[in-house]
Structure formats: C-alpha cells, structure tokens
Amino acid sequence: MKPPQADEHAAVAATALTAGLIEGMLDAVCLVDGASLRVVAANAAAADLLGADVPGLRGRDVKGLCATPEDFQFWSDAAGGLEQAIESQTWLRRNDGTCVPVLRRVSRLSAAGGSSLFVLVMHDRSEQCRIEGELESRVAELAATLESTADGILVTDLAGRIRSFNHTFARLWSLPDEVLRRRDAHEVAAFMQRSVSDPTGYAHRLAAIEDSELLQSVDTVILRCGRVLQRVARPQSSRGASVGRVFSFRDISERLAAQRRIETLSHTDTLTGLPTRRVLADRVQFATALAQREGTSFALLVAGLDHFRHINDTLGHEFGDRVLCDIAGRLGACMRQVDTVARLGGDEFVVLAHQADAAGAEAAARRILETMQGPFAHGGLSFTVTCSIGIALYPAGGAQLDDLLRHAHGAMQQVKQAGRAAYRFHEPGDASGQPPARGRLRLDHAMRQGLAHGHFRVHYQPQVDMGSRRVLGAEALLRWRDPELGDVPPGEFIPVAEASGFIIAIGEWVLRQAVQQAARWHAQGRDLVVSINVSAVQFHRDGFVDSVAAALKDAALPAQLLELELTESILIQNAHDALLRLQALSGLGVKLAIDDFGTGYSSLGYLKRFPIDRLKIDRSFVRGLPSDASDAGIVNAIVSLGRALQLEVVAEGVETEAQRAFLAGTGCEQYQGFLFAPALDSASFEARLGSQTDVIGSAFGRLPSA
C-alpha cells in the first residue's frame, strides 16, 4: 500500500497537468475542487470573461460566480454528490458585479486518492444575445409597422403557408375570429375565394401569381359585399433567393366612387342632370361625321329664357333653380330620343337635332315654343316663361361646335332684340356689327399696347360760325394707327373698348390731351372751345367729375373752354344720377352738349331740366339737305326746339355749300364738316386758323367722311 503522501503528490501532479491542458483551450475553463468547490485552476480566457486575473481566481468559491438561484442549487447538489454534470445557458457574475450571459458546461473528473474535480467550461454569449435583442427589436418594429399601415398585409412562404398578416388584412376580408386563430392557410384561402364576386377569375389570377416566384403584379379584387381592393403582389427574397410572397391589399372603393362622381359631374349639369358642353362636343363630332358620310345636315338650337333674371331677382335663386329643372324636363320630353338637350350654364339651353334640315329644325323650335307656353306652377304661384331660339344649320352655320354655337347665339340675340318668344335661323349674311371674338381679343390687346406706346393721337375738327365763317372751337377726335393693323377706324375699336372697359383709360387720356391742347391755344390768345366725346361707361364711373376738375386744374384751363358731348342714351339711363353729374359739371363751368341729337330717345322734360348748352344735329339728317323733305323737316324742328330751349345748335357733317346755306337759313349757329376742314392734327389745325379769311370752301378739297 502507498503512503497518503504519495496520493496527495499524485493529485497535485494531476491537477497541475490538467491546468496546463486547459490553458491551451479557446473557451473559458475553470477547474473546481469537488470537495471545497473552490477554483484550483483557470485559463486566461476565463480570467478575461470574469474580469479578473488568473491568480485572483484561484481559491475563489465557485458559488461567488453564481448569478441565479438555479446555479446556487446546482453547486450545492454537486458538493453533496447529487449532481455530476450540467449544460445550460445561464448568467455569471463578474468581478465588477456585472453579469455576463454564457453557455455553461460542468463535468466531474475523478482524481487519485478518491478526490474529484469539476471542469467548468464557459462560452461567452454576449454577442449572440446582442444580435438576438436587435432581431427581436426589429421584429417588433416590423410588426408595429404592419399594424400601423393602412394596407392589409399577408405574408406567405413558397408553399402558400401563412407566415404573417396584420389586423387590417383581416378587417378588409372580414375574416372570422376562429379562422384567424387556426391560421390554416387552406382555410383562409378558401374563405378569401368565397368572398370575391368572381371566384373562378380570382383563382386563375392567384395561380398565375404563384407560378412565377419573381412576378410583381397589381390588380383589383371585387368582394361580394361591394368593396373593391387593390392587390399588389411582390416576391420576398433572402440572400438572393426567393423565400415567399408579400400581398398588400388597399381599399379603393371610396376613390373609385369619387372618380365616378367626378366623371358624372364632367358629363352632366349638376343642377338639371342634362349633358354638359363636353358631351355636346362629342355628339356634335359624331353628328358631323354622320352628316359628311350621308350628305345630310343637322341643327343646333340655342334657347335663351326671356326675362328669367326677374324670377331670380324677385323669387330667389332657389326658386329659379327649380324652374330650370322643370324646363330641362320639358325640353327633354318634347325632343326626339336621338336628339340631345344640354345646358351650358345660366338660363340658356342647347338642342342638337340629329339629321335635321331647315324644316326639321323649325319643327323642333316650334315644339320647344309650344312646350314653354304651358304655365309653370311652383310654390303656389302660376306663371309663364318664354324663350327665344336661334338656329344654326350644319354646314352653312359652321363646321365646328364653336362656330355653330356662336351663330345660333347671335340669331337668338336678334330674336330677343326683335321682341322675344320666337325663333330665327342664322343666315350667312348676318352681321352683328362687332368683329369676331378672336378679332376682338386681338384688337383689345393692340389698343392697350397702342396707348402704352403712343400710337394714339388726337385730331381736331374746326367748329365754324355760320355767319362769319370764323373758327370758334374744335371737336377732339381720336385716331389710332397701329404698326400691324394700320389706321383703325374709331367705329371699329371704340365698341370693343367700351365692351372691355378700356374706354375709361382711353377717355381719360383723350380728356387730358385735349385739355392741355386747349390750354396751349388759350396761352396763345386763341379762346377756342374744345369738345370731347364722353362714353356712357366713362360718364357713369365714380370719380368722373373729379377727373375733369383735376384735368382743368393741372392744365390751368378756364372751364368754359371745355365742352363735353354726351349722347341722348347716356342721359336717359338713370336720369336722376345723370342730372346730379351734369349739375356738378355745370358747376365747374364746363359746357355740355347732346351729341347726335335726334337719333336717340330724348325726353323734352329731361332737356328742360338738364343744364345743357348745345344740341348737335347728327350728320344723318344733314346728308340729304336741302333736297330731302324729311331731313329738312327734322332739322327745322331741332333748330326750333333749340331756340325754344335757348340752346345753341351745331350741325355735323356739312360737306356742301348748299347744306351750309340751308342750315344758315334755319337759324343754325355753327357747323363742322369737310366743307371747312376734316379733323386735323394740332399743327395743321393751327395752320388752318391762319387762313380764316377764306370764306367758302376748303384748301383740303372734298375728302371722304372719316
């Protein structure tokens, strides 16, 4: 038998040998005495893991490394021989008190002399735990993203098995709770196929998507409940390989409904439900193609309600809207099914009569007038609404919708001017006295450019005393020479300026130019009265009287040397307001004249009340003198009226000595016209003043009227 000392030496030698072996291992390793549970050896990896040096670990109670109750219990059982080995994930306490996650393996080794050692192997799991934590965080973020999106999301693997979905997907498809809990892919797929309006088509499209792993597709799915879903299918890849498919579903029912509403509004009038101009244009295009192919015609009728504004003003727009709806129903009922009744806005309706010649168009117009004759009853009231109809035939009335509408509208306006409640065809020779719309736009633009660039000028036509033949004044007349249009007659551009409101700027410019010229003549000792034509738009504008006063003040011109010429129509429109303005102008000292007297609708009562100084006989009554008895009678009456009202009388357009002699015989005081001189620029006018000794005739000869 060996002595005990020999066994102890052998145990120490074995421990030393084992300690040398563990130093070469990559994992952290400690040798623990089986009886005392103290560390007898450790490698450098263990020291690094536990935050200590190797000598500091030797002799340390292994229970001091425990961080969980389970570890304490294991080592207690191991010391009593109840546990021999273990492998588990746990936490160990480091020297600084922090804990480190490890994969821990413990094995018992028997040594000489009946002693034992525990081999504690520890693998650091810190990096693995960090990665797992990040993965869990990202999975949680992905889940939150899926739930927060407005789209329904379904994720499947390549075999079609459900891997994930969000609550929006379940809500959009109305999946029952029991189906959701079971997460049976076949059950969910069967439920989805039963829920669509076209199960067969749905199955075919889904099979085509699943057959191609890399296919990306977008389509729509209509459910039996009426909901419309947009389905987007995309492949899901991992490390370059396809691992499944992601389906997203979006409810587009409201968007499609809104698009349908917009489409409906673009084709139908919101009030009456009748087609709009867009639909009318398409049908006119079709009618044009049909007429060209078959050699027929069609008609476009514009029906404008007569005095409909009175209904809106007296009974309100809501009442008027109900009447418009009633009229729309009547028009639709009296026309053929192949015809189109449209409303382009306001109180005007348009009827497209297919394959209608003049007789067919006239019959359609008569039907409209007849259906409008029936009384309307709304809100306990019974009343009648009539309409005026203009008709344009294709192709004589135009080849395009715009042309047909313009010509039919022009004919309708002529009906209104002639008394209303009738119809009229557009005739190729009809003229409205206005340039076409495109020409008006061009003319309006050119006028504005012309005023800004100095293309306008003022000429002056002498006003001559009938007896002495001396020049007493001048009428300021506007002239315009455009670089592209040439000389544009006032009769062409003045109506356009009045319609656009640009006449105000032009009138203000003429006023200041004429007043300044009159001031220059006054400074030269020539007290000539300068007359200026004033438009209705300019006269009724707020601040007109102030602008006249300002022009006189700026030029230092005596007010009695300025005369404003107004037409009769200006004076009878809002006579009370006109009287106040005339009195204000008269208070400034400005002279006032009625231009083109006899061509309007003057009231003798107004003439007596208005502070008028002169009457101007229109050239249309002078042209026939002295041979035309009617003209002679009218001129005598005007002169007599002027004498009775103590007004001066001036005759316009005097071109012959015979005309002048007749006018002198009636007692007319002054005249103007080509007999003496046309309208002249200021320099020529002043030169003409130098030949005042000329008695009859004109150095300018006989010139055509401007």
Side-chain angles (χ1 to χ4, degrees):
M1 174 179 291
K2 295 181 180 180
Q5 293 83 356
D7 291 337
E8 291 178 2
H9 288 303
V12 171
T15 301
L17 177 62
T18 305
L21 291 175
I22 66 174
E23 189 61 42
M25 299 179 67
L26 296 177
D27 284 333
V29 181
C30 291
L31 297 180
V32 181
D33 180 68
S36 64
L37 297 182
R38 293 188 177 277
V39 176
V40 296
N43 63 2
D48 291 339
L49 176 65
L50 298 174
D53 53 14
V54 173
L57 287 177
R58 293 194 187 105
R60 184 172 178 177
D61 189 347
V62 73
K63 291 183 180 180
L65 303 178
C66 296
T68 65
E70 291 80 7
D71 281 354
F72 276 104
Q73 186 62 43
F74 166 76
W75 287 112
S76 297
D77 292 343
L82 300 179
E83 293 286 355
Q84 302 294 321
I86 189 172
E87 181 174 355
S88 65
Q89 294 179 2
T90 186
W91 293 80
L92 294 179
R93 192 177 304 280
R94 292 165 52 88
N95 262 10
D96 59 4
T98 61
C99 296
V100 58
V102 296
L103 174 63
R104 177 266 317 268
R105 293 192 303 276
V106 179
S107 302
R108 181 190 288 271
L109 296 178
S110 298
S115 63
S116 64
L117 291 174
F118 287 101
V119 181
L120 171 60
V121 182
M122 300 162 287
H123 178 74
D124 189 356
R125 294 183 61 251
S126 300
E127 182 63 19
Q128 181 181 353
C129 289
R130 185 189 65 79
I131 294 174
E132 289 176 353
E134 288 185 359
L135 181 60
E136 290 178 1
S137 176
R138 293 187 180 184
V139 170
E141 290 176 0
L142 177 60
T145 301
L146 290 179
E147 290 302 333
S148 64
T149 181
D151 296 340
I153 304 297
L154 173 65
V155 183
T156 65
D157 60 16
L158 293 179
R161 291 185 293 269
I162 296 176
R163 293 170 52 198
S164 180
F165 61 86
N166 64 358
H167 286 84
T168 304
F169 165 76
R171 178 179 57 79
L172 291 177
W173 284 90
S174 301
L175 290 173
D177 292 338
E178 59 272 16
V179 174
L180 293 176
R181 285 194 297 270
R182 286 191 290 269
R183 299 177 69 91
D184 187 309
H186 295 292
E187 186 177 7
V188 172
F191 181 87
M192 293 171 67
Q193 186 168 348
R194 290 194 305 270
S195 300
V196 299
S197 60
D198 180 15
T200 303
Y202 173 82
H204 287 325
R205 292 197 302 273
L206 185 59
I209 293 172
E210 293 177 344
D211 286 344
S212 179
E213 294 181 357
L214 301 179
L215 177 66
Q216 298 187 31
S217 65
V218 180
D219 62 351
T220 56
V221 178
I222 303 176
L223 305 186
R224 291 183 182 275
C225 63
R227 181 179 295 154
V228 181
L229 303 179
Q230 181 186 63
R231 176 176 59 183
V232 179
R234 293 186 178 88
Q236 185 182 25
S237 301
S238 177
R239 298 179 180 179
S242 179
V243 296
R245 186 168 293 278
V246 178
F247 296 91
S248 66
F249 300 89
R250 177 174 297 179
D251 190 348
I252 59 173
S253 306
E254 292 185 1
R255 188 180 75 187
L256 293 178
Q259 290 177 348
R260 287 193 293 269
R261 287 195 296 271
I262 293 173
E263 189 72 12
T264 300
L265 292 175
S266 68
H267 287 85
T268 58
D269 177 55
T270 55
L271 176 64
T272 63
L274 293 176
T276 60
R277 184 188 182 96
R278 180 178 176 182
V279 177
L280 180 64
D282 292 341
R283 295 185 182 178
V284 167
Q285 186 177 10
F286 173 79
T288 301
L290 183 64
Q292 291 174 346
R293 184 172 65 249
E294 299 185 359
T296 58
S297 65
F298 63 87
L300 202 70
L301 293 77
V302 175
L305 305 182
D306 298 328
H307 302 299
F308 188 75
R309 179 181 175 183
H310 295 169
I311 294 179
N312 283 332
D313 291 345
T314 57
L315 301 177
H317 288 275
E318 183 178 353
F319 189 94
D321 289 346
R322 293 201 298 269
V323 175
L324 288 174
C325 292
D326 195 346
I327 293 173
R330 291 192 184 191
L331 294 179
C334 76
M335 301 306 297
R336 301 172 301 174
Q337 289 186 348
V338 296
D339 299 331
T340 298
V341 180
R343 177 173 179 251
L344 305 188
D347 57 0
E348 292 183 356
F349 295 84
V350 179
V351 176
L352 170 62
H354 277 278
Q355 295 183 311
D357 54 11
E362 184 174 4
R366 289 184 181 276
R367 289 199 303 272
I368 294 174
L369 294 177
E370 289 175 2
T371 194
M372 294 294 291
Q373 288 177 356
F376 291 83
H378 286 282
L381 297 176
S382 182
F383 52 92
T384 301
V385 179
T386 61
C387 69
S388 301
I389 304 173
I391 308 171
L393 291 173
Y394 173 87
Q400 304 293 331
L401 174 61
D402 289 344
D403 296 332
L404 291 167
L405 279 175
R406 185 174 69 253
H407 292 150
H409 192 273
M412 183 265 290
Q413 291 294 340
Q414 291 178 334
V415 174
K416 287 183 176 290
Q417 294 171 3
R420 297 179 170 81
Y423 62 87
R424 176 186 173 90
F425 283 88
H426 164 74
E427 298 178 4
D430 284 349
S432 63
Q434 294 285 345
R438 186 173 298 177
R440 289 197 298 271
L441 289 175
R442 181 185 179 191
L443 205 59
D444 181 73
H445 176 71
M447 277 191 300
R448 297 175 188 273
Q449 295 298 312
L451 187 61
H453 293 89
H455 297 155
F456 284 96
R457 60 195 186 281
V458 179
H459 283 190
Y460 301 89
Q461 185 170 44
Q463 294 177 336
V464 186
D465 181 75
M466 194 71 72
S468 66
R469 276 86 161 190
R470 297 188 65 83
V471 176
L472 302 179
E475 180 179 359
L477 298 171
L478 183 62
R479 296 293 182 261
W480 175 29
R481 175 171 293 174
D482 185 79
E484 296 182 3
L485 303 176
D487 288 325
V488 185
E492 183 174 333
F493 69 81
I494 291 296
V496 176
E498 289 180 333
S500 68
F502 190 60
I503 192 66
I504 294 176
I506 292 178
E508 181 69 21
W509 181 83
V510 171
L511 172 65
R512 290 196 167 270
Q513 291 291 316
V515 167
Q516 290 170 6
Q517 181 60 62
R520 286 192 290 270
W521 286 333
H522 176 63
Q524 297 169 5
R526 296 168 174 169
D527 290 338
L528 300 174
V529 178
V530 175
S531 301
I532 301 172
N533 291 282
V534 178
S535 74
V537 177
Q538 185 181 10
F539 179 76
H540 289 291
R541 183 178 66 91
D542 292 339
F544 172 67
V545 176
D546 294 336
S547 67
V548 173
L552 291 171
K553 181 180 179 181
D554 292 344
L557 177 70
Q560 65 270 19
L561 296 181
L562 174 65
E563 181 179 70
L564 302 180
E565 296 185 6
L566 308 137
T567 62
E568 296 169 270
S569 60
I570 294 178
L571 302 179
I572 64 174
Q573 293 175 2
N574 195 348
H576 178 71
D577 179 70
L579 176 60
L580 295 178
R581 291 176 184 270
L582 292 176
Q583 289 174 342
L585 292 168
S586 180
L588 295 176
V590 174
K591 294 182 177 296
L592 301 170
I594 297 181
D595 194 19
D596 302 332
F597 187 78
T599 60
Y601 303 93
S602 292
S603 166
L604 295 181
Y606 287 150
L607 285 179
K608 185 177 179 181
R609 292 170 55 198
F610 291 156
I612 302 298
D613 300 291
R614 293 206 294 183
L615 301 179
K616 298 192 71 174
I617 303 174
D618 187 68
R619 67 178 63 246
S620 63
F621 302 130
V622 175
R623 189 175 299 115
L625 297 178
S627 58
D628 190 298
S630 297
D631 287 344
I634 292 173
V635 168
N636 273 301
I638 294 174
V639 174
S640 298
L641 177 63
R643 187 181 301 114
L645 295 175
Q646 298 181 348
L647 303 176
E648 292 182 357
V649 179
V650 182
E652 296 180 306
V654 177
E655 299 182 356
T656 68
E657 174 58 24
Q659 292 171 344
R660 189 204 66 80
F662 179 87
L663 289 165
T666 63
C668 180
E669 290 93 346
Q670 296 181 32
Y671 74 94
Q672 65 185 79
F674 285 177
L675 176 64
F676 187 85
L680 308 169
D681 60 70
S682 58
S684 300
F685 184 91
E686 292 173 2
R688 188 69 181 89
L689 290 179
S691 59
Q692 292 247 16
T693 54
D694 296 344
V695 179
I696 298 176
S698 170
F700 298 91
R702 186 62 53 83
L703 300 177
S705 299

